[in-house]
Amino acid sequence: ANLTRLQDLLREVRRQLRPLERQAEAARRHGSVVAELNGLRTFVAGRELESLRSKLIAGEQLRNDFGTTERELRTRLAELDTTVLATEARLSAMGGDDLGDDLAQFESLFQQSRGLSSLLAERRRGIDRDRNAFVDQGVIFTLEAESADLKSQLVEVEAEAATLEPQALELAEAEALLVTEREQFEKYWAEGVVAPSGHAAEVRGELAALRGSVERGENETARVTARLGAITDKTARFTTEAERLRTELVAAEHAELPLIEALDGSEQYRGEAEAHLAQAEDEHRGAESEFHSWVARAEALALALDEARSRAGAERLAGIDGVLGTLLDLVDVDPGWEPSFEAAAGEALAAVVIDGLDPSRAALEALHAESITGAVLALQARRTPRTPPPVGDPVRSHVRSARPEVEALLDALVGHAVVIDGDWVAGVDAAIAHPEAVIVTPGGDRFGVTGWRVGVAGAGATGAALDEARRRATDADEARARAAARVTAAKAALDEARQAEGELSRQLDENDGRLAAAADGLQRVETEKRDAATEAEALQSHVDELNERMTRERERMAELQQVLPGLEAEENENAARGRSMGEARSRLEERAANVGAMRTDVEVRSTKVAGRRQFLERRLGEVEQRLARMAEERVAAEARRIELDQRQVATDRLIAHITGRTAEIESHLHELRERRRRQSEATRAVASELEARRKERSGAERQLAELRERQQRLEIEEAETKLRIETAVEALRRDLEIEPEVAIAAQCPELAEGVNPKARIRELERDLRIMGPINPLALQEFEELSQRHDFLEQQLADVKESRRELHKIIRAIDEEIVNVFASAYADVSQNFTDLFATLFPGGMGRLKLTDPENLLETGIEVEAKPSGKNVKKLSLLSGGERSLTALAYLFAVFRSRPSPFYVMDEVEAALDDVNLHRFLGLVNEFRAEAQLIIVSHQKRTMEAADCLYGVTMQPGGSSRVVSEKVGAGN
C-alpha cells in the first residue's frame, strides 16, 4: 500500500512539475512586466488623479459662484415677492374700502335732502296760503273751490302713488338683489386673492432640469447598451471557446483514466515482474546455494569415504575377488542417526567387507605382505545374533543395506546397540544396568564392555549418503539451470514491463500536458467569461439604474407636467380672480349706485307723494272742517295765525337747515366723486406696477431655474468626479497598494522614444493577457516540488528495496515458523499420543494437521478414541473423557516446551476417582521438574499437595488467607 501510495504521489508530483515548470518560467517573465506595468499605472493614475482633483477644485469654485448668484437671485425674488405681495395688498386695499358705499349713501342723502327741500317749500307755500285764509264769504267760496281743487289734486296724487308701487317693487327687488350680490361678493371674495406662490416657476425649472437629465440618461443608456452588446458577443465567443476547451478537457480526462489504469496495471505488472525476478533470483541463489551445498557435501562425503577406504586398505584390496567395499559403502542410515550408528559400529566402520572366507584370507595376506594396517569383515563368518536390551531405541531399526547378505552382518554388529534419550549420565546408568548391551547416545557417545567413549570421530559418511548427495547435487544443478532460465525470462519480462511503463508514462505525460493546457485555457476563458459576465452584470445594473432613474424622472416629469397646468391655471386663476374681484366690485359699486339712485328717486317721489297726499288730505279735511266750522274759525283765526307764524318760523328754520345740509352733502358728494376718480387712476397704476413686477419675477425665476439646472449638472459632474477619484484611490490601494500622494509624486518610467505611457500600458496588459494567469509562487513551488520529487524517488527506491528485503525476511521467518512449528508439532503430537495412552490405557489419541502441505495455514485436529469406544467427534465423549483429553493435550504442550511453573484452575472437576488418579499421576510426574499451582475442590487433589492456601470470611466481613504446609500423601 505504501509503495502504491508513493507511486501515486510521485506520479502526481510529476504531473504537477510540468505545468509548474512552465509557470515558473512565466513567473520570471511576469515579474519584470508587472513591475514596469505597475510603474506606468502608478504614473498614469497619479496624473489622472491630479487632473480629477484640479477639476474638482474648479467645480467647487464654480459651485461657489453659482451659490452666490443663486443667493442674489433668491434675494431679488424675495424682494420681488414682497413687492408683488405689497402691491397686491395695496390693490386689494384699494378695492376693498367703503368709498362706493359712502358715495351711494351720500347720493341717497343728497336726493333725500332735495326731496325734503321740495317738501318744505311746499309746506311754506301751504302756510302762506293758510295765512291768507280768513273766515269770509269769499273765503268760503275759496274754500269750496279749494276743496274741489284739493279733491282733484288728491285724485291726481293717488294716481301718482299708484304709479310709484311698481317702482317700489322694482326698488325692493333691486335692493334684495344688491344684498344678495353683496353677500355673495363678501362670501366669495372674503379671503381676497391669494398671493402668487411661485410653485409654477419652480416646477417649470425642475421640469427643465429633468428633461436634461433624461436626455443625458438616454445617451448614457445607448452607450452602455452598445457596450453590453459587445460584451454579450464576447461572452458568446468565450462560451464557444470554453465548450471547445471543455470538450478537449473531457476527452483528456476520459483518456487519463484508461492511461492511469494501464499505467497502474503496467506498474503492477512491473512490480510483479520485479517480484518474479526477485523470486527467481532468490530461487536461483537458493538453487545455487543448494547445489554448492550438495556438491560440498558430496565432496566431503567422498573424502570421508576415501579416507575410510584408505584406513581400511580398500585400495590395496581392490584387485581381490569378493571385495565389496567398506561398511560405509554398503549401508544406508536414517538421517540424524549417523552418529549413533558410527558409535554402535565402532571399529567395523574401517573394515573392508568381503564376500567369502577365502577372499578374506587373501585380503589378510595382502595386508600382511605390504605391512598395511587394515580390517576385514567376512560375510560368511559365523556370528552370534544379538538382541537389544529393553531400553531405548534399537540402532538396527535405523540402518539397512541394499545387499541381503549384509543385513546379517549388521545384525551382528549393531543388533545389541540401543540409543537412549539423555546425556552421557543416562548412558552410563543404562550401561551399568545392561552391561551386555552397547549403549549409545544421539550425540555419538558409546558405552559397552569394550569401554566407555564420549563423542564420535566419524563424519557420518556412507555410500548411500554419497549417492544421495550426488543425486541431490545433480537435481540442484538442474534446478539452478531452471532458476537461471526463469531469471533470464523474468529480466526480459521486467525490461518489457519497464518499456511499457515508460511508454504509458510518456503517453500519460502528454495527456497531462493536454489536460493541463485545456484546464489552463478553460480557466483563462472562464476567468475572462466571468470578468465579462461581471462587467455585463455591472453594465446591466448600470442600465437598470439608468432606466430606473429615467423612469423615476419621467414619472416625476409626468407628475410635474400634470401639476404644472394646475399651478399655471391656479396662477392664472388667481390673476383672473383678482381681475374678476375688481370687476365684480366695480359692478357691485355701480349696481349699488344705481340702486341708491333708484332708492333716492323712489324715496323722494314717495315722500313727495306721501307729503302731498297728507297735505291734501289734511288740507281737504281742514277745508271741509273750515267749511263746517266757518263760524268757529273766526274765533280760532287768531290762534291759527299764531300757529301759522310759528310753523312758518319752524319751516324757515328747517328750510335753512336742509339747505345747509344739502350744500354740505353736495360738497361731500363732490369730494367722494373726486376720490373715486383718483382711486380708479391709482388702481390702474398699481395694477400696471403689479404686472411689471410679476414679469420681472418670472424673468428672475427663469434665471434661477437655469442656474439650478446648471448647478444640478455641476453637482452630477462633481459627484462623478468624486466617484472617479474614489475609484482611482481605491484602485491604487487595491491593485497597486500605494497611497494617492505617492502616485501623484511618481515619475514616469523610461520609455522608448515616441511611446505613449497609455499605449505602453495597453501593450503590457496585452502581454499579460497572452501570458494568462500567473502563479507568483510558481518558482518557489517548482523548487519545493522538485525537491519533493527527488525525495519521493529516493523514498520509492528505499521502499522497493525494503520490500525486497522484507520479502526475504518474511520468507526466512516463514521458514523459521515452519521449522519451529513442525518441530513443536512433532514433539506435542508424540507427547500427546504417549500421554493419551497413559490417561486412557488401551486407547489411542493423536494430533492431525488439516493441511500438512501448508504449515502456515494449517489447523490441528484432535483424534481421541478411548478403549472400547469408536467415536469420531469429541462432543460425543463424556465430560470426564473430554477433560482428560484436554489434559493430555495440555501436558503434552508442557512436556514439549517445559516451564518453571504451571497454573491450573479446577481442571479435574469433571473427573471420577479413576480418572482423577490418572491425573494425579501426571501431576506427580511433573512436580519433580516444575512447580504446579492448582485451584481445586477435590479432596484427593488437596491431599497430593505440598502446601494448601484457603480464603475464609471473618465475621466482620473481611476475608483472610489461611495456609498450611502438608506432605504429599498426607
Side-chain angles (χ1 to χ4, degrees):
N2 291 334
L3 179 61
T4 305
R5 179 60 179 164
L6 279 175
Q7 289 174 345
D8 292 341
L9 287 175
L10 186 60
R11 184 167 58 254
E12 184 64 26
V13 168
R14 287 174 179 172
R15 184 181 302 170
Q16 295 174 4
L17 269 177
R18 287 184 292 274
L20 268 181
E21 184 177 6
R22 294 191 296 269
Q23 292 180 14
E25 181 61 28
R28 295 188 185 95
R29 295 179 52 250
H30 183 269
S32 59
V33 173
V34 168
E36 184 180 359
L37 181 60
N38 288 339
L40 288 172
R41 283 178 175 174
T42 302
F43 172 74
V44 172
R47 301 290 79 74
E48 182 179 0
L49 187 60
E50 185 177 7
S51 174
L52 289 174
R53 286 183 175 180
S54 300
K55 183 178 179 181
L56 185 62
I57 294 172
E60 291 178 354
Q61 182 64 35
L62 187 58
R63 184 161 53 85
N64 293 332
D65 296 341
F66 284 164
T68 303
T69 306
E70 183 181 6
R71 287 191 295 272
E72 293 176 355
L73 287 175
R74 286 182 178 276
T75 304
R76 179 59 180 164
L77 280 174
E79 293 175 355
L80 290 173
D81 289 339
T82 304
T83 303
V84 169
L85 290 175
T87 305
E88 289 176 348
R90 286 167 54 197
L91 185 61
S92 299
M94 288 178 180
D97 58 2
D98 296 333
L99 183 60
D101 296 338
D102 293 342
L103 183 61
Q105 185 178 2
F106 274 95
E107 288 282 352
S108 177
L109 288 175
F110 179 70
Q111 295 296 331
Q112 290 178 3
S113 65
R114 288 176 62 186
L116 288 175
S117 296
S118 299
L119 180 61
L120 289 175
E122 185 64 29
R123 285 183 178 181
R124 180 70 175 80
R125 285 190 298 270
I127 291 171
D128 289 340
R129 286 190 300 270
D130 289 339
R131 185 182 295 275
N132 294 324
F134 294 102
V135 183
D136 54 9
Q137 188 62 37
V139 171
I140 293 172
F141 289 138
T142 304
L143 288 174
E144 289 178 349
E146 185 179 359
S147 175
D149 184 44
L150 287 173
K151 288 180 180 178
S152 62
Q153 289 182 9
L154 187 60
V155 172
E156 292 177 357
V157 168
E158 291 295 335
E160 186 178 359
T163 60
L164 287 176
E165 289 181 0
Q167 293 182 358
L169 293 175
E170 183 179 358
L171 177 61
E173 292 178 356
E175 287 181 346
L177 181 60
L178 179 62
V179 171
T180 303
E181 288 181 356
R182 280 185 175 178
E183 290 177 355
Q184 291 179 353
F185 179 83
E186 291 176 358
K187 180 179 180 181
Y188 187 77
W189 302 104
E191 298 179 357
V193 180
V194 180
S197 61
H199 293 325
E202 293 179 358
V203 169
R204 284 191 293 271
E206 185 177 357
L207 192 60
L210 288 174
R211 287 195 184 98
S213 178
V214 168
E215 184 178 358
R216 290 191 300 273
E218 290 175 350
N219 296 332
E220 180 68 14
T221 302
R223 184 184 65 82
V224 174
T225 304
R227 175 62 179 166
L228 189 60
I231 291 176
T232 303
D233 296 339
K234 185 186 295 184
T235 304
R237 292 196 302 272
F238 287 158
T239 302
T240 304
E241 181 67 15
E243 290 297 330
R244 184 184 64 79
L245 292 173
R246 194 173 287 107
T247 302
E248 293 180 359
L249 183 62
V250 170
E253 288 177 349
H254 288 171
E256 183 181 16
L257 183 59
L259 287 175
I260 291 175
E261 293 177 352
L263 183 60
D264 292 339
S266 178
E267 290 178 350
Q268 184 178 0
Y269 178 69
R270 178 181 54 78
E272 293 175 355
E274 291 178 350
H276 291 163
L277 177 60
Q279 183 179 1
E281 289 177 348
D282 292 341
E283 291 177 356
H284 182 263
R285 285 192 295 271
E288 188 79 20
S289 175
E290 186 175 2
F291 170 72
H292 291 299
S293 175
W294 284 112
V295 168
R297 178 171 176 75
E299 291 177 354
L301 290 174
L303 290 175
L305 290 176
D306 291 341
E307 184 179 358
R309 294 190 188 99
S310 177
R311 288 197 306 271
E315 295 179 357
R316 300 295 182 181
L317 302 177
I320 300 176
D321 294 334
V323 175
L324 302 178
T326 62
L327 184 61
L328 293 176
D329 294 328
L330 301 176
V331 298
D332 182 14
V333 184
D334 290 342
W337 284 84
E338 290 86 353
S340 300
F341 171 69
E342 292 179 359
E347 295 179 355
L349 293 175
V352 178
V353 179
I354 300 175
D355 187 10
L357 295 177
D358 294 334
S360 299
R361 291 177 181 276
L364 292 175
E365 290 178 0
L367 293 174
H368 277 288
E370 297 183 7
S371 299
I372 297 174
T373 303
V376 174
L377 287 176
L379 292 179
Q380 285 73 19
R382 293 182 61 185
R383 297 178 176 85
T384 302
R386 301 181 181 182
T387 59
V391 294
D393 191 3
V395 177
R396 179 67 182 84
S397 60
H398 297 283
V399 62
R400 69 201 60 80
S401 176
R403 295 177 176 271
E405 60 273 17
V406 181
E407 292 291 333
L409 178 61
L410 291 176
D411 292 338
L413 291 177
V414 297
H416 61 297
V418 294
V419 178
I420 61 171
D421 294 333
D423 54 4
W424 60 272
V425 177
V428 171
D429 294 337
I432 294 173
H434 304 280
E436 75 283 358
V438 175
I439 308 300
V440 297
T441 63
D445 301 332
R446 187 177 188 279
F447 306 94
V449 294
T450 59
W452 296 345
R453 179 172 57 82
V454 177
V456 64
T462 62
L466 178 60
D467 295 338
E468 177 68 17
R470 287 174 177 172
R471 183 180 60 78
R472 291 291 185 87
T474 302
D475 295 340
D477 190 16
E478 295 176 356
R480 182 181 63 172
R482 290 192 299 272
R486 285 195 295 272
V487 168
T488 302
K491 286 182 178 180
L494 180 60
D495 292 338
E496 182 180 356
R498 285 174 177 172
Q499 291 177 359
E501 182 182 4
E503 179 63 23
L504 288 174
S505 178
R506 183 186 63 78
Q507 294 178 5
L508 183 60
D509 291 342
E510 293 178 354
N511 188 74
D512 289 341
R514 291 192 296 270
L515 184 64
D520 293 342
L522 182 60
Q523 182 180 4
R524 175 180 56 79
V525 170
E526 290 292 342
T527 301
E528 293 179 354
K529 185 178 178 182
R530 285 195 299 271
D531 294 341
T534 303
E535 185 178 359
E537 183 178 358
L539 291 175
Q540 185 63 43
S541 176
H542 186 44
V543 169
D544 294 339
E545 291 177 358
L546 289 174
N547 291 331
E548 183 179 358
R549 190 188 73 185
M550 288 190 296
T551 301
R552 291 196 304 267
E553 290 176 351
R554 289 191 180 99
E555 292 176 355
R556 180 61 178 168
M557 286 174 60
E559 181 181 354
L560 292 178
Q561 287 173 354
Q562 291 178 358
V563 172
L564 182 59
L567 294 176
E568 291 178 346
E570 182 180 357
E571 192 177 53
N572 296 330
E573 183 181 359
N574 288 334
R577 282 175 62 84
R579 291 191 296 271
S580 299
M581 186 179 71
E583 293 174 358
R585 189 183 298 277
S586 299
R587 288 193 302 270
L588 187 61
E589 290 175 355
E590 184 178 357
R591 183 178 294 278
N594 294 331
V595 171
M598 184 183 294
R599 183 173 59 250
T600 301
D601 185 32
V602 171
E603 287 178 354
V604 170
R605 292 180 63 189
S606 296
T607 302
K608 184 177 180 181
V609 169
R612 187 167 180 77
R613 180 191 293 120
Q614 184 179 6
F615 172 74
L616 290 176
E617 288 177 351
R618 186 178 68 252
R619 182 62 183 170
L620 180 62
E622 291 175 354
V623 170
E624 292 292 332
Q625 288 177 2
R626 287 180 67 185
L627 289 176
R629 300 186 304 271
M630 182 59 71
E632 295 177 357
E633 288 183 357
R634 290 188 186 94
V635 178
E638 188 64 22
R640 180 66 176 166
R641 187 180 293 111
I642 296 171
E643 181 183 358
L644 289 175
D645 290 340
Q646 292 177 352
R647 289 179 61 187
Q648 183 180 357
V649 172
T651 301
D652 290 340
R653 290 177 179 175
L654 284 174
I655 291 172
H657 178 73
I658 291 299
T659 301
R661 296 299 294 174
T662 301
E664 186 179 353
I665 288 172
E666 188 177 4
S667 176
H668 280 288
L669 182 61
H670 179 73
E671 183 180 354
L672 287 174
R673 286 173 178 173
E674 185 65 23
R675 286 176 57 191
R676 178 63 180 271
R677 183 185 63 79
R678 291 195 302 269
Q679 185 182 26
S680 297
E681 292 177 355
T683 300
R684 286 193 296 272
V686 171
S688 300
E689 183 182 357
L690 178 61
E691 186 66 23
R693 293 293 180 270
R694 285 177 175 174
K695 289 181 179 180
E696 186 177 358
R697 186 177 183 277
S698 299
E701 286 179 349
R702 285 194 299 273
Q703 292 179 3
L704 183 60
E706 292 176 357
L707 182 62
R708 286 178 176 174
E709 183 178 358
R710 293 178 64 188
Q711 281 183 332
Q712 188 176 7
R713 290 198 298 269
L714 182 61
E715 288 176 356
I716 294 174
E717 292 177 357
E718 184 177 357
E720 291 178 352
T721 303
K722 288 182 178 179
L723 180 61
R724 291 177 62 187
I725 290 175
E726 292 177 358
T727 304
V729 171
E730 183 181 358
L732 282 173
R733 292 174 176 170
R734 183 188 65 246
D735 299 336
L736 302 177
E737 297 181 354
I738 59 175
E739 293 299 323
E741 289 73 13
V742 177
I744 293 174
Q747 299 296 326
C748 181
E750 294 183 1
L751 298 174
E753 186 177 356
V755 177
N756 191 347
K758 293 186 178 180
R760 181 57 178 167
I761 288 176
R762 290 193 296 270
E763 182 180 353
L764 293 175
E765 288 177 346
R766 185 174 62 254
D767 293 341
L768 288 179
R769 285 195 300 271
I770 293 173
M771 290 181 187
I774 297 298
N775 183 4
L777 301 177
L779 186 58
Q780 179 181 356
E781 293 177 358
F782 176 72
E783 294 176 355
E784 294 176 354
L785 200 60
S786 298
Q787 295 177 1
R788 179 170 176 76
H789 177 266
D790 298 338
F791 173 75
L792 287 177
E793 281 189 339
Q794 183 64 33
Q795 290 293 313
L796 183 60
D798 293 342
V799 168
K800 290 180 179 179
E801 182 64 26
S802 300
R803 187 179 65 172
R804 287 192 291 269
E805 295 297 330
L806 186 60
H807 283 312
K808 295 179 182 178
I809 294 172
I810 289 173
R811 284 194 298 272
I813 291 175
D814 289 343
E815 292 177 358
E816 184 66 23
I817 290 173
V818 169
N819 294 333
V820 172
F821 177 76
S823 175
Y825 171 74
D827 295 341
V828 172
S829 178
Q830 183 63 41
N831 291 329
F832 176 77
T833 301
D834 296 341
L835 291 175
F836 191 87
T838 302
L839 295 176
F840 293 92
M844 182 184 69
R846 69 188 183 96
L847 300 179
K848 184 175 69 173
L849 297 177
T850 59
D851 188 3
E853 300 299 329
N854 187 4
L855 296 183
L856 292 175
E857 301 294 336
T858 186
I860 298 176
E861 291 181 351
V862 179
E863 292 184 357
K865 292 182 181 180
S867 177
K869 290 187 177 182
N870 186 14
V871 295
K872 296 183 179 180
K873 294 183 178 180
L874 294 178
S875 60
L876 298 178
L877 297 176
S878 65
E881 290 172 342
R882 285 198 298 270
S883 297
L884 278 181
T885 302
L887 288 172
Y889 180 76
L890 183 64
F891 279 94
V893 175
F894 290 166
R895 177 173 290 179
S896 300
R897 297 295 182 267
S899 176
F901 61 87
Y902 305 105
V903 179
M904 289 171 281
D905 185 6
E906 296 190 31
V907 295
E908 86 289 16
L911 301 181
D912 55 10
D913 292 339
V914 177
N915 292 329
L916 181 61
H917 177 73
R918 296 171 183 170
F919 167 69
L920 293 178
L922 282 179
V923 171
N924 289 329
E925 181 181 348
F926 276 82
R927 69 191 302 171
E929 299 178 355
Q931 184 179 5
L932 285 83
I933 301 173
I934 302 175
V935 179
S936 176
H937 289 87
Q938 294 282 358
K939 180 178 179 181
R940 293 182 61 186
T941 304
M942 289 187 282
E943 290 176 350
D946 295 328
C947 182
L948 294 177
Y949 293 92
V951 180
T952 182
M953 181 69 71
Q954 294 183 352
S958 61
S959 60
R960 183 169 64 88
V961 178
V962 179
S963 64
E964 181 177 357
K965 293 185 177 294
V966 297
N970 291 344

